[in-house]
Amino acid sequence: MKEQLEQIKQSALAALDAASTPAALEELRVKLLGKKGELTAVLKQMGKLSAEERPVMGQLANSVRASIEEKLEKRKADIHAAALEAKLAAEAIDVTIPGKSVSIGHQHPMNQVLQTIKDIFVGLGYQVVDGPEVELADYNFTRLNIEEGHPSRDRSDTFYFTDDDSVLLRTQTSPMQIRYMENHKPPLCMLAPGRVFRKDEADATHSPMFHQIEGLVVAENITMGDLKGALTTIMRKIYGEDAVMRFRPHHFPFTEPSCEMDMQCHKCHGTGEVDGQVCSTCHGEGWIELLGAGMVHPKVLENCGIDPEKYSGFAFGMGLERLAMGRMKINDLRLIFDNDIRFLNQF
Ligand code: PHE
């Protein structure tokens, strides 16, 4: 029995040394010390021993058990320490590796131009307002003195929501003139930037969705001279003091008289040609149309409850994309909407 106990002790200690995980240790503990374990099996045979042998063997058995328990605890501690060591090594941070740089974007070039324009107008005393993109035909056309049957109401140009053509995606920001005059009495200065929608094919200067900036000034004694002065000042602020512009007579149902303002093409400098080819930016015109404008039609003032005998005003609507193209020297309008990062990064 003594040899048996020695044998158990030797093999137990060797097995514990070989175990390398907490699960393996637990398995060994049950096998060695448990109720069905090897040591228990030996102790069960103690009854067969003589009275002298029994205490000696008992003592030996206890010391074997103690050695196994001690070894078990030591191995547990070792394995735990090794696991900790491995975890720390794995999680170590190499502070000498260069950091990952965080790239911060910037405003879209068109929004940069919009911001500049808003700043200029706010400085001139205009109030900047926002309006609905889904608009009533009443505001978009009728109260702007655009009669039934006018070509701009045509289904081929306008996105309508209803069969009776009463609700639409606004084709211009001019309905904001009506909305503003409904709620404000003169003297007033308003600026209303926003999206507008037309059934246009996209090309270098057209897009079915684009942005306009509507301006409206109504007070006593406002004249066409005020309109030209305001627009000239603004364009010089946007394009620089040497910007070349021209006013052309035009017709809009909601202004009388009406005009359009063009800016000399920034690509061909007004010649209409680049390297012997027709300039692709202005289609050979030499000029890029920037805005429509005019003196607010007396009927429009009346439609908003403002006395045209007492008050007069001017209004203008400019295309933001075209303004941005001129200011940022962009040759194709579609680039503004493509969201190509290689393009956007240049601004
Ligand atoms: N709304 C007109 C357009 O889209 C522009 C305009 C605005 C003309 C204000 C006159 C006055 O073409």
Side-chain angles (χ1 to χ4, degrees), residues 237-255:
K237 278 197 198 282
I238 299 174
Y239 293 114
E241 288 300 319
D242 54 356
V244 183
M245 289 153 297
R246 72 173 184 191
F247 288 85
R248 269 182 299 108
H250 200 74
H251 170 76
F252 295 106
F254 39 94
T255 46

Side-chain angles (χ1 to χ4, degrees), residues 171-172 174 177 198 212 214 252 254-255 292-294 315-317:
T171 60
Q172 49 183 356
S174 298
Q177 292 184 30
R198 290 181 197 175
Q212 283 190 335
E214 192 80 10
F252 295 106
F254 39 94
T255 46
F316 58 87

Side-chain angles (χ1 to χ4, degrees), residues 52 84 139 263 286 291 342:
E52 298 91 69
L84 189 65
Y139 286 91
M263 193 190 66
L291 58 85
R342 293 166 302 182

